[in-house]
Amino acid sequence: MREGCRARGGGRMECSWKTILLLVCASLGVQYTAIRTLRDSLSGPCRGAYRCQSRHHGDSRWTALCDDSWMPVEFPQKHILLFATTRSGSSFTGQLLNQHPGIFYVFEPLYHVQQAFTNSSSRLRRTLDRRALLGAYRDLLLNLYTCDLHFMENYIRPEPQDHITSSLFRRSSSHALCSPPVCLEGVDAVDPPDETWCPKKCGALNLTLASMSCLSRGHVAIKTVRIPEVGDLRTLTEDPRLDLKIIHLVRDPRAILASRIMAFSEQFHSWKIWNVTGRQPRYVDLSQITSTCKDMVASVETGLQRPAWLRGRYLLVRYEDLALSPEARVTEIYRFVGLEMEDRVRMWIVKNTNSNVSTPSEWNYKYSTTRDSRVTAESWRLRLSFDIVRTIQNLCNDTLALLGYSQVHSAAELRNLSRSLVEPRTFQPVT
Ligand SMILES: *[C@@H]1O[C@H](CO)[C@@H](O)[C@H](O)[C@H]1NC(C)=O
Ligand SMILES: *[C@@H]1O[C@H](CO)[C@@H](O)[C@H](O)[C@H]1NC(C)=O
Ligand SMILES: *[C@@H]1O[C@H](CO)[C@@H](O)[C@H](O)[C@H]1NC(C)=O
Ligand SMILES: *[C@@H]1O[C@H](CO)[C@@H](O)[C@H](O)[C@H]1NC(C)=O
Ligand SMILES: *[C@@H]1O[C@H](CO)[C@@H](O)[C@H](O)[C@H]1NC(C)=O
Ligand SMILES: *[C@@H]1O[C@H](CO)[C@@H](O)[C@H](O)[C@H]1NC(C)=O
């Protein structure tokens, strides 16, 4: 067979198998060297094992390389995206991943990208479109999934010096960034007391150490509320360097709104007036909740249609189901991402969901206080006036119907918590 590649009719290139192998080897070699360099400067032992990625069974080029195992390749094995919207319970859900000792969890790294773009010069801001911002988001996600945390330095303000920063958004939310080897003072706290404890205890963050910690954990989970639709993630699901699993967290839009009004008091001032007076102020902004609902429907429809690029990579989770039976839902989530559930995850659930079980060995469904959790999940029903609820129901009727949230038709029905508005639904994982 002739070496090299040659053009064929219709613009196709045909290459000899040797050339293909050489090209693949060269590209893997570059990545391998980069990872190796990082690893070599790590003093402690790395737990990550050499392995080929499992996702490319069907792809003969990768199968050949993986089966021979003469080319050690190291990637984090699982790449998990917790894909959610503001005030949909994503911090809680993120903690269920963060507690796993094998997972390197990052809380909303895209915050820095958005900040950087928002604060850039007005000329740039004018020319910046949605596509460019999403491109920057995806670049950062890809680099984080391959454990290059230095890539964050492009966006963090003030600019990190010598790969050191004190400005990483919500660092305390990430166990890996507050424990060895990143932080030698780091206690193995299951429950960090507040947002400042970690920077206080650990000092500034060394992003080189953070990259090493990422490599040593092997799995990377990232939470974001800044990607509008699951379709915006397509190039990442198709990237051969990744094995992406998307957990799409949704929540009743009426609950999301109630939570936003409480959390962002100033921004939602007119909603508070509406809530109290029962009259809709003319200047109330309905566009945000409307687009939240629209994006949610678009993503769920895409996910449940099972396009080839998303097959086996999409799991729809309703926050209310998670609140109602956390143990069952979390088990499902871990099965979906292909990891074993860990005791520390179970312990965290017990501590944070009113389940009265003291030790993991006594873990049992019947002990969980499902009633308490349900009341928490539906407490929005006591926080919104019926007039607001009716408006949201009209704006988001498709979302409510698709996700199985019942509408109410009177204030009495709204306040009567003895009937749940969360209809039982199962959304099968795409296989
Ligand atoms: C962006 O600009 C605002 C106001 O000019 C400032 O308060 C904020 O700290 C800046 N954010 C970043 C990340 O530089
Ligand atoms: C950050 O960590 C790396 C790896 O341990 C180390 O070589 C480097 O000196 C550290 N940087 C600073 C400024 O301490
Ligand atoms: C859990 O048990 C403690 C005592 O062991 C009790 O005070 C508390 O009320 C219980 N919580 C729930 C939600 O049942
Ligand atoms: C709306 O008003 C009710 C009282 O009518 C109050 O209990 C509730 O907290 C308010 N909700 C918000 C989100 O402020
Ligand atoms: C939602 O409302 C729109 C406009 O009122 C209507 O066309 C649509 O059929 C409704 N959808 C559902 C699921 O009821
Ligand atoms: C609340 O709903 C339950 C079940 O639908 C019903 O039996 C009960 O009468 C309602 N209570 C009030 C005060 O409307």
Side-chain angles (χ1 to χ4, degrees):
M1 192 189 279
R2 253 160 43 91
E3 306 273 318
C5 308
R6 60 203 160 87
R8 300 258 307 203
R12 274 189 306 137
M13 290 290 280
E14 192 177 71
C15 305
S16 78
W17 66 271
K18 272 187 188 164
T19 311
I20 292 175
L21 209 54
L22 274 173
L23 286 173
V24 174
C25 288
S27 81
L28 287 176
V30 169
Q31 291 176 21
Y32 174 69
T33 310
I35 290 168
R36 196 69 229 178
T37 311
L38 202 51
R39 279 173 54 87
D40 282 347
S41 43
L42 176 64
S43 46
C46 255
R47 285 199 290 115
Y50 294 142
R51 59 173 60 238
C52 275
Q53 278 189 296
S54 55
R55 77 168 283 201
H56 293 281
H57 296 309
D59 189 327
S60 53
R61 285 169 310 167
W62 290 83
T63 312
L65 285 168
C66 291
D67 285 350
D68 281 30
S69 69
W70 47 266
M71 170 65 87
V73 182
E74 188 179 15
F75 295 112
Q77 302 155 33
K78 309 281 179 197
H79 308 95
I80 304 164
L81 189 71
L82 179 55
F83 169 65
T85 189
T86 314
R87 310 308 292 184
S88 61
S90 61
S91 300
F92 171 84
T93 312
Q95 283 306 311
L96 299 169
L97 299 167
N98 185 38
Q99 297 306 321
H100 193 293
I103 290 180
F104 185 87
Y105 175 70
V106 192
F107 182 102
E108 195 57 270
L110 304 186
Y111 167 85
H112 291 291
V113 181
Q114 192 187 44
Q115 287 298 103
F117 277 120
T118 307
N119 274 18
S120 52
S121 74
S122 57
R123 191 188 59 78
L124 190 64
R125 200 163 50 219
R126 264 204 311 279
T127 57
L128 179 75
D129 63 6
R130 178 178 180 277
R131 230 158 36 89
L133 186 60
L134 284 171
Y137 283 163
R138 278 190 297 262
D139 278 351
L140 180 57
L141 289 175
L142 175 61
N143 280 281
L144 291 179
Y145 280 132
T146 49
C147 290
D148 179 4
L149 272 82
H150 292 151
F151 195 81
M152 295 274 283
E153 293 175 28
N154 296 330
Y155 301 108
I156 296 173
R157 302 287 176 272
E159 190 180 352
Q161 301 297 315
D162 297 328
H163 310 303
I164 305 283
T165 181
S166 306
S167 310
L168 187 78
F169 182 56
R170 298 284 298 268
R171 174 186 177 188
S172 296
S173 300
S174 172
H175 188 266
L177 295 181
C178 303
S179 57
V182 176
C183 172
L184 298 177
E185 299 297 310
V187 280
D188 221 26
V190 170
D191 249 345
D194 66 62
E195 277 304 314
T196 57
W197 77 272
C198 174
K200 255 190 231 148
K201 258 200 131 80
C202 307
L205 175 66
N206 182 331
L207 290 164
T208 307
L209 278 176
S211 297
M212 291 167 178
S213 168
C214 176
L215 285 171
S216 76
R217 291 205 174 207
H219 313 297
V220 181
I222 297 173
K223 170 214 127 137
T224 184
V225 298
R226 282 175 166 70
I227 306 278
E229 286 181 30
V230 77
D232 298 320
L233 296 165
R234 176 166 178 171
T235 54
L236 287 179
T237 68
E238 292 175 333
D239 193 302
R241 288 162 290 188
L242 301 185
D243 181 8
L244 191 66
K245 302 277 189 182
I246 299 167
I247 301 164
H248 185 195
L249 181 71
V250 295
R251 187 181 188 184
D252 190 324
R254 295 164 296 188
I256 290 175
L257 178 69
S259 178
R260 285 180 184 171
I261 295 174
M262 310 276 280
F264 313 117
S265 220
E266 227 163 275
Q267 194 192 335
F268 282 83
H269 184 67
S270 53
W271 289 85
K272 288 203 134 165
I273 293 171
W274 185 359
N275 178 52
V276 173
T277 61
R279 259 212 204 115
Q280 177 178 352
R282 262 185 300 125
Y283 46 87
V284 108
D285 177 17
L286 296 173
S287 70
Q288 200 194 52
I289 191 72
T290 307
S291 60
T292 296
C293 285
K294 239 180 68 215
D295 288 343
M296 221 188 280
V297 163
S299 293
V300 171
E301 282 177 344
T302 303
L304 298 182
Q305 273 164 11
R306 312 177 178 213
W309 56 272
L310 206 49
R311 204 157 291 153
R313 307 195 172 281
Y314 177 86
L315 180 72
L316 178 59
V317 176
R318 290 192 304 186
Y319 174 68
E320 292 81 2
D321 292 329
L322 201 55
L324 201 60
S325 33
E327 58 287 348
R329 294 287 97 78
V330 174
T331 304
E332 222 167 77
I333 288 173
Y334 271 97
R335 194 183 308 131
F336 166 69
V337 299
L339 290 180
E340 290 293 323
M341 173 87 133
E342 290 274 339
D343 284 347
R344 212 171 68 197
V345 180
R346 290 198 182 87
M347 265 148 58
W348 192 87
I349 294 172
V350 168
K351 277 187 78 169
N352 291 277
T353 60
N354 292 331
S355 303
N356 249 355
V357 190
S358 51
T359 63
S361 58
E362 293 171 63
W363 185 255
N364 194 322
Y365 292 126
K366 75 179 180 211
Y367 286 109
S368 64
T369 55
T370 54
R371 228 173 107 252
D372 287 359
S373 299
R374 187 203 301 165
V375 168
T376 311
E378 295 200 46
S379 61
W380 65 269
R381 294 169 65 178
L382 306 174
R383 299 221 178 96
L384 292 182
S385 69
F386 177 62
D387 194 44
I388 293 182
V389 170
R390 190 169 46 195
T391 304
I392 302 306
Q393 289 181 166
N394 287 336
L395 290 172
C396 297
N397 66 337
D398 291 336
T399 315
L400 295 169
L402 183 64
L403 294 173
Y405 301 122
S406 319
Q407 299 204 10
V408 292
H409 303 96
S410 69
E413 203 184 344
L414 174 64
R415 307 278 188 235
N416 184 350
L417 293 183
S418 61
R419 186 176 75 93
S420 171
L421 300 181
V422 183
E423 299 160 16
R425 287 279 170 98
T426 39
F427 303 97
Q428 290 303 324
V430 180
T431 47

